[in-house]
Amino acid sequence: MASFVIVTEDGSYREGREASFPELNVDPVRLESYSHEGDYVVLHYEGGIKKAIPECRVQHIAYRKQVA
């Protein structure tokens, strides 16, 4: 079960969902986490792949608090 979903003007990004980056010659990799860096929400994928989305395009972020 995903612990976060980021909804943008263009769609959504869910933890664990795979994405391809053919321009980087990268096979599908899973979304692991995200962070806020300046005016961007940065998606962190397996293998050190990052995708920065301008914060102004993010409509909302839903997340489940992890209980230890």
Side-chain angles (χ1 to χ4, degrees):
M1 181 179 305
S3 63
F4 68 87
V5 177
I6 299 169
V7 178
T8 69
E9 298 170 348
D10 303 328
S12 64
Y13 300 89
R14 179 184 309 270
E15 179 188 26
R17 187 175 289 165
E18 291 186 340
S20 296
F21 297 92
E23 34 313 288
L24 298 175
N25 198 28
V26 173
D27 291 330
V29 290
R30 288 183 315 111
L31 177 57
E32 296 181 324
S33 63
Y34 70 94
S35 62
H36 299 272
E37 297 179 22
D39 293 334
Y40 292 88
V41 173
V42 179
L43 307 178
H44 301 264
Y45 289 88
E46 293 175 314
I49 303 297
K50 295 182 180 181
K51 179 177 181 176
I53 301 170
E55 196 173 56
C56 65
R57 291 184 42 218
V58 175
Q59 294 177 333
H60 66 271
I61 298 173
Y63 61 93
R64 179 186 328 259
K65 184 176 180 179
Q66 299 296 320
V67 179

